Amino acid sequence: MSNNIRTMICSFSNLYDATQICRKGVKWKDSVAHFSNHSLVSVYRLKQRLDNNTYDLSAYSIFEIREPKLRKITSTRFKDRVVQRTMCDNYLTKEITKNFISDNYACQKNKGTDRARECLTRHLKSYCRKFGIDGYVLKVDIHDYFGSTNHDVAIAAVNKRVGDEWVRSEVKRIIESFGEGENKGIGLGSQVSQLIQLAVLDDMDHFITEQLGIQLYVRYMDDCILIHHDKNHLKHCLKVIKEHLASIHLEISPKKTQLFKVSQPIKFLGFTYKLHESGKVTWRILPENVKCQKRKLRKLANKVLEGRITIAKFDECYQSWRAHAKKSDSRYTIRKLDKFQKNLKEELIHGKKKSS
């Protein structure tokens, strides 16, 4: 079976299709242009290296981003992204995710942040119909999830779900390429990394929903929400979750893990969710996200003044954030940001006129 899977993943057509997908939105980068401008030759050479076992991972480019919070990104080189894309799209994603619970929402087709938010809203409404607003929420967050993941645990999680030996060996090579010599740490920014991290907590998902009996549960990567009418049962769940995480060399984040009443606002994926006695659930965009957007608008305005982007691009970036914010019930906040952005734009136009 392994030879058939490998042949299919490494076929010229699949490698070429992966190249076209990977280049979308990043064609301006030199490394991407160098590979994709001669894509037929580049793909042929890449296929040869894969076929004769001379393909090696390139060194990562590591950098930090500070919005919405400080994170270290491990950027995968373009040729490696192509290989990972064809491996994920043509085999790995289906194999790893086929037995996932339905309420695991990260990095999967037809899921994502919007579906996760809808799931939490649906769970809160369902709870209210049965129990009213007397109940509790356990919010679990894992400390430095990507950076703390043990390599042996990650490899075991993949091997449990993937049958093909060649794919196993390639994913093992990717896992061991992270961590700068330590036996832990999975780089944030790789397509395969996302699947690995989903798999690492899959057993926990099944235990929570099947053994602990939590029917109202949602997970997005390492952010988990459990809703139940019995506070003591959620305390027991937290104890068991801690024990499970310890067994795979992970631990919760004490500051972000909380047990509170279901009537209190729940922070999840950039919004707060409030369950009302009527059963209605309202969303509010987090204040820290509003501050973050104001900082971003100021930085974009400076880029306009420096001639690095156009005013049209400044507008486009804001409208993108505004479309995201409009999913919530934050009309007053959006109006205030509209005014803030409009004033900045007028200053930019006025400045441009003065300089001309």
Side-chain angles (χ1 to χ4, degrees), residues 154-254:
I155 292 166
V158 172
N159 289 348
K160 180 179 178 179
R161 293 160 179 81
V162 176
D164 184 78
E165 288 298 332
W166 180 78
V167 174
R168 282 181 171 185
S169 66
E170 286 301 304
V171 176
K172 181 174 184 285
R173 176 157 61 156
I174 292 168
I175 291 170
E176 292 176 342
S177 70
F178 299 120
E180 299 175 348
E182 297 185 38
N183 191 40
K184 68 174 185 177
I186 303 292
L188 182 62
S190 157
Q191 187 179 8
V192 170
S193 296
Q194 309 291 328
L195 288 173
I196 293 165
Q197 295 301 91
L198 289 177
V200 166
L201 293 184
D202 181 43
D203 286 345
M204 184 186 78
D205 291 339
H206 284 279
F207 190 81
I208 289 171
T209 56
E210 295 162 14
Q211 301 300 316
L212 295 176
I214 301 296
Q215 297 179 349
L216 303 179
Y217 173 74
V218 57
R219 175 163 79 89
Y220 191 91
M221 200 52 78
D222 63 322
D223 289 336
C224 313
I225 302 282
L226 296 75
I227 305 171
H228 199 266
H229 64 277
D230 188 337
K231 184 177 184 180
N232 288 328
H233 183 59
L234 286 180
K235 286 181 177 179
H236 171 67
C237 290
L238 179 58
K239 178 177 177 291
V240 173
I241 289 169
K242 285 180 179 179
E243 290 170 354
H244 173 77
L245 292 175
S247 74
I248 56 174
H249 309 286
L250 293 171
E251 59 184 15
I252 65 165
S253 170

Side-chain angles (χ1 to χ4, degrees), residues 63-80:
F63 59 93
E64 291 181 344
I65 60 171
R66 297 183 178 275
E67 301 292 356
K69 63 181 180 180
L70 181 62
R71 285 178 177 168
K72 183 186 285 186
I73 303 297
T74 305
S75 178
T76 306
R77 301 296 182 181
F78 187 75
K79 73 173 179 64
D80 300 324

Side-chain angles (χ1 to χ4, degrees), residues 81-316:
R81 291 209 305 276
V82 170
V83 174
Q84 290 188 28
R85 169 63 67 174
T86 183
M87 185 163 60
C88 289
D89 289 0
N90 295 295
Y91 180 75
L92 187 61
T93 300
K94 183 179 178 181
E95 288 299 297
I96 283 186
T97 64
K98 64 184 178 183
N99 292 317
F100 280 5
I101 65 167
S102 60
D103 289 336
N104 177 349
Y105 280 93
C107 308
Q108 298 167 71
K109 189 176 181 181
N110 299 322
K111 291 201 172 184
T113 53
D114 284 346
R115 293 291 179 90
R117 295 182 187 110
E118 290 167 7
C119 176
L120 177 57
T121 301
R122 189 169 62 249
H123 283 347
L124 287 169
K125 289 180 177 179
S126 174
Y127 181 88
C128 188
R129 285 194 296 270
K130 192 170 183 180
F131 298 103
I133 59 169
D134 293 324
Y136 297 88
V137 171
L138 174 61
K139 187 174 187 295
V140 177
D141 185 275
I142 298 172
H143 172 68
D144 190 21
Y145 182 40
F146 276 77
S148 298
T149 298
N150 179 276
H151 287 179
D152 295 333
V153 169
I155 292 166
V158 172
N159 289 348
K160 180 179 178 179
R161 293 160 179 81
V162 176
D164 184 78
E165 288 298 332
W166 180 78
V167 174
R168 282 181 171 185
S169 66
E170 286 301 304
V171 176
K172 181 174 184 285
R173 176 157 61 156
I174 292 168
I175 291 170
E176 292 176 342
S177 70
F178 299 120
E180 299 175 348
E182 297 185 38
N183 191 40
K184 68 174 185 177
I186 303 292
L188 182 62
S190 157
Q191 187 179 8
V192 170
S193 296
Q194 309 291 328
L195 288 173
I196 293 165
Q197 295 301 91
L198 289 177
V200 166
L201 293 184
D202 181 43
D203 286 345
M204 184 186 78
D205 291 339
H206 284 279
F207 190 81
I208 289 171
T209 56
E210 295 162 14
Q211 301 300 316
L212 295 176
I214 301 296
Q215 297 179 349
L216 303 179
Y217 173 74
V218 57
R219 175 163 79 89
Y220 191 91
M221 200 52 78
D222 63 322
D223 289 336
C224 313
I225 302 282
L226 296 75
I227 305 171
H228 199 266
H229 64 277
D230 188 337
K231 184 177 184 180
N232 288 328
H233 183 59
L234 286 180
K235 286 181 177 179
H236 171 67
C237 290
L238 179 58
K239 178 177 177 291
V240 173
I241 289 169
K242 285 180 179 179
E243 290 170 354
H244 173 77
L245 292 175
S247 74
I248 56 174
H249 309 286
L250 293 171
E251 59 184 15
I252 65 165
S253 170
K255 289 183 179 180
K256 296 181 180 178
T257 298
Q258 301 167 318
L259 177 59
F260 51 90
K261 290 185 177 180
V262 74
S263 57
Q264 293 178 227
I266 303 168
K267 289 185 178 182
F268 186 61
L269 298 179
F271 296 90
T272 59
Y273 302 78
K274 173 71 175 175
L275 175 63
H276 300 270
E277 288 189 22
S278 63
K280 181 180 179 181
V281 178
T282 53
W283 301 11
R284 293 281 188 272
I285 194 157
L286 290 172
E288 51 263 43
N289 286 5
V290 176
K291 292 178 182 177
C292 171
Q293 181 59 22
K294 283 186 174 182
R295 287 196 301 270
K296 184 176 179 181
L297 284 170
R298 291 190 186 100
K299 289 178 182 178
L300 289 170
N302 287 333
K303 287 183 178 181
V304 173
L305 292 173
E306 293 165 4
R308 294 162 62 190
I309 64 169
T310 63
I311 290 179
K313 183 67 177 177
F314 173 80
D315 258 342
E316 181 186 326

